[in-house]
Amino acid sequence: MNKICDLDIETYRCITPDIPTREVILTAERMELIKSHHPGHFEQIAPFLKAAVEAPDYILEDAPNTGLILKAVSENGIRLQMALRIHTSADSPGFKNSIISAWKISESRWNNYLRNKKILYKSE
């Protein structure tokens, strides 16, 4: 289990108001899933996972207690998407907020998401 960072609870209340912990993790199992489902992406996006959680460009609606985080990285033109599961008080004690998956997306996919998904949060 790798701690990525702590999230700003106020920013992520758009997903759920029930956020008992700030810690965000990425498990080894999830890391391997990302590597196997999106070959070559993890190595490119890994340095930006913390920035995506700490300063998302957008948070889009997804499954219950889960948000799709969009982050554009200006240094290299990467756009990444991350599924972030927020731990709630209804979950097993000891669980953390967890990155479920993450991968690079194209500009057209980014724009498609913004047109077709519900935007819960937009950076200013």
Side-chain angles (χ1 to χ4, degrees):
M1 173 171 62
N2 299 308
K3 179 178 176 180
I4 302 301
C5 64
D6 288 330
L7 58 78
D8 175 12
I9 290 176
E10 289 307 311
T11 298
Y12 287 88
R13 285 198 193 284
C14 62
I15 297 172
T16 178
D18 180 14
I19 306 175
T21 181
R22 296 182 63 219
E23 190 172 1
V24 177
I25 61 164
L26 176 62
T27 65
E29 182 265 333
R30 290 278 118 186
M31 189 182 314
E32 289 308 313
L33 179 109
I34 294 168
K35 289 178 179 180
S36 68
H37 283 73
H38 309 284
H41 288 219
F42 185 77
E43 295 73 18
Q44 294 178 39
I45 65 169
F48 309 109
L49 295 177
K50 180 179 180 192
V53 173
E54 291 180 336
D57 293 332
Y58 293 93
I59 301 174
L60 308 177
E61 186 175 59
D62 197 37
N65 302 324
T66 304
L68 290 180
I69 312 306
L70 299 183
K71 180 71 176 173
V73 181
S74 57
E75 298 93 69
N76 58 12
I78 286 179
R79 293 173 186 266
L80 71 91
Q81 173 182 336
M82 172 193 304
L84 180 66
R85 170 64 162 81
I86 301 297
H87 169 74
T88 69
S89 58
D91 295 324
S92 296
F95 280 23
K96 306 289 183 197
N97 303 304
S98 182
I99 296 173
I100 302 301
S101 193
W103 58 94
K104 291 186 336 181
I105 60 172
S106 66
E107 183 176 358
S108 63
R109 173 67 55 100
W110 173 285
N111 292 332
N112 187 19
Y113 283 147
L114 295 182
R115 276 192 310 274
N116 297 311
K117 295 251 184 207
K118 181 177 179 183
I119 298 172
L120 302 176
Y121 168 86
K122 178 182 179 188
S123 66
E124 304 206 1

